[in-house]
């Protein structure tokens, strides 16, 4: 049995997932580039493999159809927007993901980013290193209205972690209803919230969920956090609204194009991180072990 691991970093904080593969008698090959692979690189890496432990690289029909031996695609992560699920089904490839590992890691990151935005920690750190000693006035999290878009596992974890800060929590979700928090439509939530945080998938969306019009409808002086998915936010419109001061700040962890090279890097009111929502060691180790167990369990089914 041959397994390719295309996710950009794997087993760096514990050998457990590789031990699991070895014990199952699998030959495995790791992503040699340490970055997100291109479609051709995925095909090259996974040629002849029965299983793939995948990251966020594109796994569309053109890639999957060039991997005729592939039986199982196991995402090391929760988001499935990079996988063409229809093509996988048609091609007889079983698909799995790891919904539990990233939850707490992303939720804790959101709390940190919210605090950082409100107190401008990263901005003053940058200034101080550049020789500028300037005390910027911040804001309290207490009393703020937090609007969560997408109230799945991660959205709920964010709401639970923020509740002790004495904030008001509203959420928009087309499917879930979660008792204890105020459900509202997106058009109502955006002008209402002081802080908006995105926790939904991009699957099935052709354009940004927060397009220019919706970003304009956000409350003046509010903050946006996107550690959900790149492409949920129109990055050009976000740049314009931050530059114009309509939005006070934004924290962006996921981008349309990764690695991100765009203009948001010019703005002091933005915190930028390289898609590290799930990069808390404890959660990551669990995700990797889950991804391998899911892969082995599914491969067993195909026998
Ligand atoms: C990446 C994520 O998948 O869970 C997700 O959907 O975006 C991240 O956890 C992961 O870092 C890639 O291996």
């Amino acid at each position: 049995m041959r397994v390719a691991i295309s996710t950009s970093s794997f087993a760096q904080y514990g050998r457990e997932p590789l031990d699991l593969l070895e014990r199952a008698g699998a030959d495995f090959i790791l992503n040699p580039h340490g970055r997100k692979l291109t479609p051709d690189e995925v095909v090259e890496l996974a040629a002849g493999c029965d299983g793939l432990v995948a990251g966020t690289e594109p796994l569309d029909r053109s890639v999957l159809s060039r991997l005729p031996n592939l039986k199982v695609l196991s995402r090391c992560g929760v988001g499935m927007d990079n996988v063409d699920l229809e093509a996988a089904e048609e091609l007889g490839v079983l698909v799995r993901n790891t919904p539990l590992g990233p939850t707490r890691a992303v939720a804790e990151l959101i709390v940190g980013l919210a605090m950082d935005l409100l107190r401008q920690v990263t901005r003053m750190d940058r200034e101080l290193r550049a020789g500028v000693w300037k005390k910027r006035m911040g804001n309290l999290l207490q009393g703020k209205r937090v609007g969560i878009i997408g109230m799945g596992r991660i959205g709920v974890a964010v709401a639970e972690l923020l509740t002790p800060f004495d904030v008001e929590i509203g959420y928009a979700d087309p499917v879930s209803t979660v008792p204890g928090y105020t459900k509202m439509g997106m058009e109502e939530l955006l002008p209402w919230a002081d802080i908006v945080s995105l926790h939904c998938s991009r699957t099935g969306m052709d354009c940004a969920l927060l397009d220019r019009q919706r970003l304009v409808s956000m409350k003046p002086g509010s903050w946006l956090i996107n550690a959900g998915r790149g492409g949920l936010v129109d990055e050009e419109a976000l740049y314009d609204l931050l530059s114009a001061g309509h939005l006070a700040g934004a924290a962006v962890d996921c981008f349309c194009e990764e690695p991100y090279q765009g203009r948001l890097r010019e703005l002091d009111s933005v915190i930028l991180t390289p898609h590290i929502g799930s990069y808390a060691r404890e959660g990551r180790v669990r995700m990797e072990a889950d991804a391998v167990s899911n892969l082995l369990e599914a491969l067993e089914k195909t026998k």
Side-chain angles (χ1 to χ4, degrees), residues 145-256:
R145 292 171 168 175
V146 180
I148 297 175
I149 298 180
M151 200 61 161
R153 249 183 224 94
I154 297 177
V156 170
V158 169
E160 286 171 355
L161 286 186
L162 287 178
T163 298
F165 286 93
D166 204 7
V167 294
E168 266 186 84
I169 293 176
Y171 70 96
D173 192 301
V175 185
S176 309
T177 297
V178 183
Y181 307 106
T182 312
K183 184 166 181 166
M184 44 181 92
M186 178 99 78
E187 314 310 327
E188 193 189 342
L189 179 141
L190 292 172
W192 171 85
D194 298 297
I195 301 166
V196 171
S197 191
L198 289 160
H199 298 292
C200 51
S201 138
R202 265 219 86 214
T203 307
M205 283 179 209
D206 298 331
C207 55
L209 180 70
L210 294 194
D211 57 12
R212 185 172 294 271
Q213 197 184 342
R214 282 187 165 151
L215 288 171
V216 168
S217 78
M218 282 178 66
K219 184 173 176 176
S222 60
W223 294 268
L224 176 67
I225 304 177
N226 182 15
R229 267 295 171 264
L232 285 173
V233 179
D234 177 335
E235 287 168 1
E236 283 307 301
L238 178 62
Y239 176 92
D240 293 341
L241 289 161
L242 286 161
S243 309
H246 178 72
L247 298 181
V252 189
D253 180 56
C254 304
F255 304 87
C256 297

Side-chain angles (χ1 to χ4, degrees), residues 7 55-56 75-79 102 229 275 278-279 284 287:
T7 188
T56 54
R75 271 279 288 117
C76 181
V78 62
R229 267 295 171 264
H275 199 145
S278 65
Y279 277 68
R284 185 81 203 168
M287 264 168 73

